[in-house]
């Protein structure tokens, strides 16, 4: 059996890759010639939603949505490989936790990239229900959802601090957690879970109505800056100050005026200020998105802290891959195949384009030389965040090194490598939209690549695909059986869709019964965006946008007001069928 390395590059947009013709990622661009690859649409525009479709091959609104996915999904990608004799290694963070059942499997290894906190559970999830509880009592369905979700998450937090049970590796965050008393925090979590079990209603009511007052909040202060050697940070900051300076200048000179609607900026200033200082939603977004395109300038103003290390840390891709190389060394003479899942975020956070957490001057010199090469190629007009270009080059170099390390250990011929993404662009994409940056319906937020190296078929799979199709494609290529629990369609044998769709409940917590469903459906001619509530009939929903993508690839002209509905009947029929299936699965009958 072949080894598998599954690389999910957070925010790896096919649009950005295509626009630059892969010039910022030369190794991956060349790899396409030796791989089976396709263009794919993610289920949603951010990590939690996109990842569920990817690892579970399930539609986002199945199994109760993202709040209950990990608990209710019958199987995820790790299960299939564990059942087929693989040792499974997962390098990811708790935002998208693996089902807790996996931690009990002796062949499952979890590598933490961030500490797990109860705040992860609260933010955009339980906080959603807290805001409801401040105005009315939760109904039975809502209460059960919150109780199940809390119980799942308190166990997830406990799994992190219970370092003696399961195969857990903390080495990527060892310095920032070395001062923490794990046993003390674990006992607090156990005590709180016991209180919850004794009286779930009373516990949840107090938790929701008293934000932040529970002992689970603020349990520990993580010392993120300990992951960096101050002397090395100072060395990098001083030696490469000219690169930071050039990045700031190039960002301004290339991006300040190119392809910008300044009338939209002027008109949007009042709305931008209202949203920034008063929290008003739905105001003009154009100016905020324009400013984000210029964040390469803002990110590097702090000369003493070039990587913005204060208050946040994520191991560099180089450091995560070094952990994978350690895994390789364990399997050189091992008969068991390995499956490694890793989700780097360099393309999500544009300031992560060099390895500041590895004290290697020779390595940092090479990475800065790569940055110089990208910056020198920028002569005038740019229409994207320049930090993204630097991050793309850094990611490309790291992946090339991964292939080199496999070759060095004679493992490459027996290893398949998958490179894909959880979703498309997050910040600073092209063109500048007058819409919320992440939670919108434009294709650059959903359009991702799928690259599969190691299979005999070296070609592009033309057609429409969804990210839920990736898991069955990989399993089928390895001869691993799967059942009807997977919603996806394998790419092999030219099994193409005639419609690709995305679905979720918009920004914030996923709740099938309190929020409208967002559906985006695409065929070869049109892309449409439609919303509807689970308690409505389909016809009561709203068609927000239609784009003729043959004539308007960038989706700049909404033709919904003028479209003849017969032209998009197949897309509407597809969404209606899917919508009625969700209603039926949840016991909702509309006469």
């Amino acid at each position: 059996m072949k080894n598998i390395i599954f690389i999910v590059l957070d925010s790896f947009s096919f649009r950005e890759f295509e626009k630059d013709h892969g010039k910022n990622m030369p190794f991956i661009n060349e790899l396409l010639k030796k791989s089976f690859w396709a263009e794919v649409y993610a289920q949603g525009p951010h990590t939690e939603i996109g990842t569920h479709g990817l690892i579970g091959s399930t539609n986002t609104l199945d199994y109760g949505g993202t709040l209950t996915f990990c608990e209710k999904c019958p199987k995820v990608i790790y299960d299939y490989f564990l059942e087929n004799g693989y040792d499974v290694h997962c390098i990811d963070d708790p935002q998208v936790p693996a089902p807790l059942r996996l931690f009990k499997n002796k062949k499952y290894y979890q590598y933490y990239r961030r500490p797990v906190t109860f705040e992860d559970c609260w933010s955009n999830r339980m906080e959603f229900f807290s805001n409801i509880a401040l105005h009315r009592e939760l109904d039975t369905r809502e209460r059960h959802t919150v109780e199940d979700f809390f119980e799942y998450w308190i166990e997830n937090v406990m799994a992190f601090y219970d370092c003696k049970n399961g195969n857990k590796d903390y080495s990527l965050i060892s310095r920032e957690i070395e001062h923490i008393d794990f046993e003390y925090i674990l006992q607090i979590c156990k005590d709180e879970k016991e209180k919850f079990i004794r009286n779930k209603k009373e516990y949840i009511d107090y938790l929701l109505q008293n934000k932040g007052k529970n002992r689970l909040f603020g349990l520990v202060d993580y010392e993120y800056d300990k992951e960096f050697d101050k002397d090395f940070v100072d060395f990098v900051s001083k030696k490469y100050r000219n690169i930071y300076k050039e990045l700031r200048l190039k960002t301004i000179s290339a991006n300040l005026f190119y392809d910008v609607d300044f009338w939209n900026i002027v008109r949007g200033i009042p709305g931008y200020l209202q949203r920034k200082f008063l929290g008003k939603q739905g105001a003009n977004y154009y100016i905020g998105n324009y400013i984000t395109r210029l964040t390469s300038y803002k990110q590097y103003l702090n000369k003493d802290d070039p990587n913005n290390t204060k208050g946040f840390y994520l191991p560099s891709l180089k450091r995560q891959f070094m952990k994978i190389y350690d895994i390789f060394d364990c399997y050189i003479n091992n008969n068991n195949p390995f499956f490694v899942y890793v989700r780097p975020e360099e393309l999500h956070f544009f300031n992560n384009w060099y390895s500041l957490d590895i004290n290697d001057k020779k390595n940092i010199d090479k990475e800065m030389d790569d940055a110089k090469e990208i910056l020198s190629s920028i002569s005038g007009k740019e229409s994207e965040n320049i930090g993204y270009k630097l991050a793309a080059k850094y990611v490309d170099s790291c992946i090339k090194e991964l292939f080199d390390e496999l070759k060095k250990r004679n493992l490459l011929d027996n290893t398949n490598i998958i490179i894909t993404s959880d979703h498309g662009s997050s910040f600073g994409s092209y063109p500048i939209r007058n819409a919320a940056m992440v939670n919108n319906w434009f294709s650059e937020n959903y359009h991702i690549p799928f690259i599969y190296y190691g299979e005999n078929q070296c070609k592009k799979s033309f057609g429409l695909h969804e990210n839920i199709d990736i898991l069955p494609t990989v399993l089928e290529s390895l001869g691993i059986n799967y059942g009807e629990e997977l919603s996806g369609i394998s790419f092999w044998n030219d099994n193409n869709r005639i419609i690709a769709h995305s679905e979720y409940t918009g920004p914030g917590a996923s709740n099938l019964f309190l929020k409208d469903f967002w559906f985006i459906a695409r065929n070869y001619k049109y892309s449409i965006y439609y919303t509807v509530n689970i308690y409505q009939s389909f016809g009561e929903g709203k068609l927000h946008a239609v784009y003729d993508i043959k004539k308007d690839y960038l989706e700049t002209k909404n033709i919904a007001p003028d479209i003849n509905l017969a032209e998009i009947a197949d897309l509407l029929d597809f969404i209606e069928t899917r919508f009625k299936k969700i209603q039926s699965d949840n016991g909702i009958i509309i006469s």
Side-chain angles (χ1 to χ4, degrees), residues 257-527:
F257 301 110
Y258 178 58
D259 195 31
V260 177
D261 182 347
F262 282 99
W263 169 238
N264 220 335
I265 289 178
V266 172
R267 188 172 53 188
I269 289 175
Y272 173 73
L273 294 175
Q274 286 179 339
R275 191 170 75 254
K276 186 174 181 64
F277 296 107
L278 301 178
K280 182 180 178 182
Q281 297 299 312
N284 186 290
Y285 288 98
Y286 190 91
I287 185 172
N289 293 342
Y290 169 65
I291 291 171
T292 300
R293 196 172 82 172
L294 300 175
T295 52
S296 300
Y297 173 74
K298 182 180 179 182
Q299 284 171 335
Y300 303 100
L301 283 177
N302 190 342
K303 298 182 177 63
D304 297 321
D305 188 15
N307 206 41
N308 291 328
T309 62
K310 291 181 175 62
F312 174 80
Y313 167 71
L314 190 70
S316 66
L317 180 53
K318 174 92 172 178
R319 192 172 173 200
Q320 293 181 62
F321 275 10
M322 289 171 69
K323 179 57 62 178
I324 295 178
Y325 305 155
D326 291 341
I327 295 171
F328 291 167
D329 291 336
C330 296
Y331 287 86
I332 291 176
N333 297 311
N334 191 326
N335 291 327
N336 282 0
F338 60 78
F339 172 88
V340 176
Y341 179 97
V342 59
R343 186 177 61 85
E345 295 192 47
E346 271 67 16
L347 296 175
H348 194 298
F349 301 105
F350 306 138
N351 54 335
N352 297 354
W353 45 268
Y354 54 99
S355 310
L356 197 62
D357 55 353
I358 300 173
N359 298 358
D360 185 335
K361 293 182 180 180
K362 185 177 179 181
N363 178 68
I364 210 80
D365 285 344
K366 179 187 178 301
E367 291 171 354
M368 289 298 179
D369 285 343
D370 287 344
K372 289 178 187 175
E373 181 183 333
I374 296 295
L375 289 172
S376 65
S377 70
I378 298 172
S379 57
K381 300 175 180 178
E382 283 298 323
S383 55
E384 66 180 352
N385 188 295
I386 295 176
Y388 188 96
K389 293 176 176 289
L390 301 182
K393 177 61 177 176
Y394 172 70
V395 167
D396 189 72
S397 297
C398 288
I399 291 178
K400 180 181 183 304
E401 183 181 281
L402 177 79
F403 274 74
D404 292 340
E405 293 293 332
L406 282 165
K407 281 182 186 176
K408 191 187 300 183
R409 293 165 174 81
N410 294 316
L411 290 171
L412 184 59
D413 290 343
N414 197 40
T415 302
N416 288 0
I417 298 101
I418 293 101
I419 303 170
T420 186
S421 184
D422 48 357
H423 57 82
S425 300
S426 286
F427 308 112
S429 59
Y430 171 81
I432 302 171
R433 305 287 192 185
N434 188 15
M437 192 173 302
V438 174
N439 291 286
N440 65 48
W441 51 94
F442 296 107
S443 63
E444 63 265 19
N445 285 24
Y446 301 81
H447 196 185
I448 61 174
F450 168 73
I451 304 166
Y452 191 2
Y453 174 87
E455 282 303 302
N456 294 327
Q457 297 188 47
C458 300
K459 65 174 186 177
K460 179 177 181 180
S461 175
F462 291 94
L464 292 168
H465 303 291
E466 299 179 11
N467 71 342
I468 63 174
D469 302 332
I470 290 176
L471 178 53
T473 299
V474 173
L475 294 179
E476 186 174 322
S477 73
L478 299 169
I480 295 176
N481 294 324
Y482 58 90
E484 294 181 358
E485 71 274 6
L486 299 190
S487 301
I489 302 170
S490 169
F491 293 178
W492 305 118
N493 302 317
D494 295 320
N495 287 332
N496 297 325
R497 297 174 179 271
I498 57 173
I499 292 173
H501 93 293
S502 305
E503 62 179 47
Y504 76 125
T505 57
S510 172
N511 188 283
L512 272 61
F513 304 97
L514 295 175
K515 302 176 71 176
D516 288 348
F517 298 164
W518 290 32
F519 289 105
I520 299 98
R522 312 163 185 86
N523 56 21
Y524 292 104
K525 182 169 176 55
Y526 293 109
S527 172

Side-chain angles (χ1 to χ4, degrees), residues 78-79 82 90 92-94 96-112 116 152 155-162 164-170:
Y78 316 114
D79 292 299
L82 286 168
C90 179
D92 201 352
D93 60 62
V96 226
L100 288 167
R101 62 178 180 267
L102 296 176
F103 288 87
K104 300 173 184 177
N105 193 310
K106 293 181 178 179
K107 301 187 73 170
Y108 177 83
Y109 300 83
Q110 177 71 45
Y111 302 80
Y112 287 103
V116 181
Y152 182 87
E155 290 178 359
N156 193 26
V157 176
M158 288 165 61
F160 176 78
Y161 292 104
D162 189 8
K164 296 178 181 177
N165 290 318
N167 298 316
K168 299 164 190 170
D169 187 300
Y170 303 86

Side-chain angles (χ1 to χ4, degrees), residues 43-143:
Q43 279 274 300
H46 58 75
T47 295
E48 196 164 24
I49 291 164
T51 303
H52 289 169
L54 191 63
I55 70 172
S57 186
T58 62
N59 291 299
T60 305
L61 301 179
D62 288 336
Y63 303 113
T66 58
L67 285 177
T68 53
F69 165 81
C70 282
E71 181 184 3
K72 294 184 178 180
C73 185
K75 287 184 181 180
V76 294
I77 190 170
Y78 316 114
D79 292 299
Y80 291 98
F81 285 94
L82 286 168
E83 290 172 0
N84 284 272
Y86 281 76
D87 292 344
V88 171
H89 302 261
C90 179
I91 305 176
D92 201 352
D93 60 62
Q95 184 185 1
V96 226
L100 288 167
R101 62 178 180 267
L102 296 176
F103 288 87
K104 300 173 184 177
N105 193 310
K106 293 181 178 179
K107 301 187 73 170
Y108 177 83
Y109 300 83
Q110 177 71 45
Y111 302 80
Y112 287 103
R113 309 185 313 166
R114 290 179 183 145
V116 181
T117 69
F118 184 71
E119 282 81 351
D120 294 320
C121 163
W122 183 263
S123 177
N124 284 333
R125 298 169 179 85
M126 293 196 70
E127 187 176 24
F128 173 78
F129 293 98
S130 174
N131 292 331
I132 294 172
L134 293 175
H135 298 93
R136 65 167 174 82
E137 188 171 342
L138 301 185
D139 64 28
T140 302
R141 191 197 301 267
E142 292 164 351
R143 180 169 297 282

